[in-house]
Amino acid sequence: MIAQVLLVDDEPAIRSTLAKFLEELDCFVTQAADVGEALALLNALEYDLVVTDIVMPKGSGLDVLRAARSQEDPCPVVMITGSPMVESASEALRLGAFDYISKPVHKEQIVHVARRALEFRRVSRENDRFRNDLEAIFTSVQDAIISVDRDLKILNFNSSAATICGLDSAASGTSFYDLPLRCDRKCRGALETAIHTRKPVQTRYFKCGSAGDAGAEQYVSVSVTPRRLTERQVEGAVIVVRDESSLYRLEKKQMPRSSYSGLIGKSAPMQMLYSMIERLAGVPSTVLIRGENGTGKELVAAALHANGGRQDRPFIKVNCAALTETLLESELFGHVRGAFTGALRDKAGLFEKADSGTLFLDEIGEVSPQMQVKLLRVLQERELVRVGGAEPVKVDVRIIAATNRDLAKDVEEGRFRQDLYYRLKVVELIVAPLRERPEDLPLLAEHFVSRLNAKLGRSITGISDEALRLLSGYPWPGNVRELEHALEHAFIMCPTRMILPDHLPAVFQAAVVEDGLTMRERIQEALARHAGNKSRAARALNIDRKTLYRKMQEYGITDVPTPP
C-alpha cells in the first residue's frame, strides 16, 4: 500500500526537493505551503506521515504537530527547522514528535527518518488492529476472562466475569485473595499452580457457588495460562472460567459418573456413595464411614470435607489405632504445661487445630472405653478439657469417623458404647469392597497407571487384556489399596510399555491354570457342574474339601452359580 505523506514548508524549492526524496520510498506526497493549508488538509484527509517545518511566516509547525497528534488515529510527525534551538526541539518532542531534523536536510537523513516513521506507523496500526480484535473477543465471549499479575492482583476482566464470577468495577487492582466472591475460590489454586509451574492448568467441572439471584448451583471449568516474560519467568496469568452448568446437568442425567471428588468408579454402589456425599454438602452432620481396609474410606472423608461447606478450613486426620491411649488423648485434646513428664508447655490438640473445619477419626472402633467417654462429651457438649487442665475449651468441629469393624456387633457385645455409636452414626456411608464392584476395576487400573507413570517417570500405555482378566478374577482382600500396590509391582517388573501377566505379583501367576481359566472361575464352574455339592466339586478340582472352603472364602465365592 502506498503511504500518504503530508509535507509542510513555506519554501517551494525545499518542498520540491523533499517530495522527490520521499517519493523514492513509494510515498504519495501532498504539499502544503503554510500552517492553515496543512490544518485544512489534516481535517479532510488521513495521512501516514507528516513532515513539517517549525518556523514559517504564517504560523508554527508546532500547531501542525498538535493537530496531527489530536486526531483519532494520530500519525508520526517529523519536525524540520533551519534554526535549531533546544527549547523548540524539546517542545516538539514533548508534544509527541517522532523525530527532529535540522536544515540543511540531506537525502540519506530524511529517507532514513521517514522509513523509520512509516515502519512505526505500520507496526502501530497492526498492533491497534490486534488490540481491537482482542478487545472484541474479550468483550464478546461468554466465558469469564480475568487477567492477574503474579501476586494475583486483578489487572483486567470482561463483562462475562461479572455474570459468572460476580466481579464489579471495584475488582480491578484488588487481590484475588480479597475478592468478595460467591464461590469458594477453587480456581485460586489453579492460578497459583500455573504461575508457580509456568505451565497451563485445566480443571473440569467443579461446583462454583450460585448463579445470579435464582440461586441455582453453578458448575464451571477453568483454564489458566501463564503470561510469560521469559522461559523461566512469568508476570501473571489469564484465567478463563466457562459456565458448564447445563452440560454438567445433562451429562449427569445421561450417564453414571465414573469419578467424583477424587473417588473412582461407575458401579451402582459408587453412584449411591456420590449421591450421599452430595446430599451431605453444606450439612455439618457427623458421618460414620464403614468399609473394609483399603476401600478408600479416607478419600470419602476428604470428599465430604471438600463438598461440605468447610473446604477452606482445616481437614485434620488421625489414625486412632496407631496411638496408645495416653498419646491419643494428648493428641486429640491437647495438654497443659506440667500435665505429665515432658509436657514443657501448653499444647493445643487436634480438636482445637480442626476448629471450624473437619476432624477425621480413622479406625474409631479401636479406641478404649475411657477414650470413648471423652469423645462422647466433645460430641455432646462441643467442648473439651486439655489433659491436666480444668478450663473447658469450646470447639466447632465436624466429626467424620471411619471403621472396618461392625460397630453394631461391638455394641451388642459391650466393646463399644451405644450412645457414642449413635452419636457417630448420624449418617452412615458404606464403601463397598472391590470384589462387589468389579466393573470399577478397569477404571481404577487406568487411574493408577496414569498416577504411577507420573510417580515413577514411566510411559506405560496400558494393561494387556490377559493381565486385566487376571486382575478381574482376583478377590482383592486388600481392596483398592492392594490393586494399587499390585500395579506398582507390575510397573517395576515391566520392561516394555504394556503390562503383561508375567509382570503381575506371584499370587496372580498361581491363579492361572492349564485351560486358561483362573482358579476362581474353575471353582465356580465345578460347583455349578455338581449343583453345589462341595465334596464332589473338591474331588473334580483334585483338592480336599478344606482347601475348597478356604479358596471359596479367599475368592469371595458365596452363591453357587446355576448351570446353564
Side-chain angles (χ1 to χ4, degrees), residues 450-497:
S450 176
R451 194 156 84 176
L452 288 168
N453 272 325
K455 175 183 176 181
L456 302 177
R458 298 293 303 278
S459 299
I460 301 294
T461 57
I463 304 172
S464 71
D465 292 342
E466 177 65 16
L468 190 60
R469 188 174 67 82
L470 288 177
L471 294 175
S472 299
Y474 184 68
W476 297 109
N479 291 292
V480 179
R481 185 183 300 135
E482 186 183 8
L483 172 62
E484 181 178 11
H485 293 166
L487 288 174
E488 185 165 357
H489 173 97
F491 261 68
I492 295 170
M493 302 302 294
C494 178
T496 64
R497 302 185 69 179

Side-chain angles (χ1 to χ4, degrees), residues 95-300:
L95 292 174
F98 179 80
D99 208 340
Y100 189 98
I101 300 176
S102 300
K103 292 181 179 179
V105 179
H106 300 286
K107 176 180 179 180
E108 295 78 7
Q109 186 179 20
I110 187 64
V111 167
H112 175 71
V113 172
R115 183 179 285 118
R116 284 197 303 111
L118 290 172
E119 177 63 15
F120 174 80
R121 172 67 164 174
R122 184 189 65 79
V123 172
S124 297
R125 281 191 158 179
E126 285 186 0
N127 288 340
D128 287 342
R129 282 195 296 270
F130 182 65
R131 190 180 301 109
N132 291 336
D133 289 344
L134 284 181
E135 185 67 25
I137 295 171
F138 194 66
T139 56
S140 64
V141 296
Q142 296 181 344
D143 300 340
I145 303 176
I146 306 170
S147 175
V148 301
D149 64 16
R150 63 175 297 105
D151 296 321
L152 268 63
K153 184 180 295 184
I154 290 185
L155 303 176
N156 201 0
F157 60 90
N158 65 349
S159 57
S160 295
T163 305
I164 296 175
C165 303
L167 300 185
D168 56 26
S169 57
S172 293
T174 303
S175 169
F176 202 89
Y177 298 99
D178 300 328
L179 288 175
L181 300 177
R182 54 176 171 249
C183 68
D184 57 11
R185 297 177 177 83
K186 286 184 179 178
C187 48
R188 186 179 72 188
L191 277 168
E192 292 170 337
T193 301
I195 291 174
H196 177 71
T197 63
R198 305 187 297 277
K199 295 180 180 179
V201 174
Q202 289 186 329
T203 64
R204 188 170 186 261
Y205 287 175
F206 64 83
K207 187 178 177 182
C208 179
S210 303
D213 298 330
E217 289 183 344
Q218 178 175 254
Y219 291 85
V220 301
S221 61
V222 165
S223 175
V224 184
T225 303
R227 295 166 46 234
R228 293 180 178 274
L229 281 174
T230 64
E231 183 64 26
R232 300 185 57 83
Q233 186 179 6
V234 299
E235 60 178 355
V238 175
I239 180 170
V240 178
V241 184
R242 174 169 294 179
D243 187 349
E244 305 271 21
S245 302
S246 298
L247 185 58
Y248 173 83
R249 295 186 185 101
L250 180 61
E251 288 187 1
K252 188 176 177 183
K253 290 179 181 178
Q254 288 183 337
M255 63 181 65
R257 288 171 284 185
S258 59
S259 64
Y260 177 79
S261 198
L263 298 164
I264 307 293
K266 63 180 180 180
S267 61
M270 294 304 291
Q271 300 304 310
M272 177 64 72
L273 188 60
Y274 300 160
S275 297
M276 288 298 295
I277 294 172
E278 284 185 332
R279 290 181 185 181
L280 289 165
V283 178
S285 302
T286 303
V287 178
L288 177 63
I289 306 170
R290 196 154 58 84
E292 296 177 7
N293 286 335
T295 51
K297 297 187 291 295
E298 184 176 324
L299 285 176
V300 175

Side-chain angles (χ1 to χ4, degrees), residues 486-540:
L487 288 174
E488 185 165 357
H489 173 97
F491 261 68
I492 295 170
M493 302 302 294
C494 178
T496 64
R497 302 185 69 179
M498 177 67 69
I499 292 176
L500 304 175
D502 291 346
H503 306 143
L504 297 173
V507 65
F508 297 96
Q509 312 304 326
V512 182
V513 294
E514 292 181 359
D515 56 7
L517 296 177
T518 65
M519 179 57 75
R520 182 181 187 184
E521 291 168 336
R522 288 290 306 277
I523 292 173
Q524 289 177 317
E525 181 186 65
L527 287 169
R529 190 166 64 249
H530 295 286
N533 188 304
K534 297 179 180 60
S535 296
R536 293 179 182 177
R539 283 195 297 270

Side-chain angles (χ1 to χ4, degrees), residues 37-92:
E37 187 178 348
L39 297 180
L41 288 169
L42 283 172
N43 288 330
L45 302 171
E46 183 177 329
Y47 293 94
D48 298 304
L49 172 64
V50 173
V51 179
T52 179
D53 194 2
I54 291 183
V55 180
M56 290 180 282
K58 298 181 180 179
S60 170
L62 295 178
D63 296 326
V64 178
L65 171 61
R66 291 188 185 94
R69 299 302 299 163
S70 66
Q71 290 185 322
E72 183 177 352
D73 181 21
C75 65
V77 179
V78 174
M79 311 300 293
I80 298 176
T81 183
S83 54
M85 294 183 295
V86 173
E87 292 79 4
S88 62
S90 177
E91 178 67 6

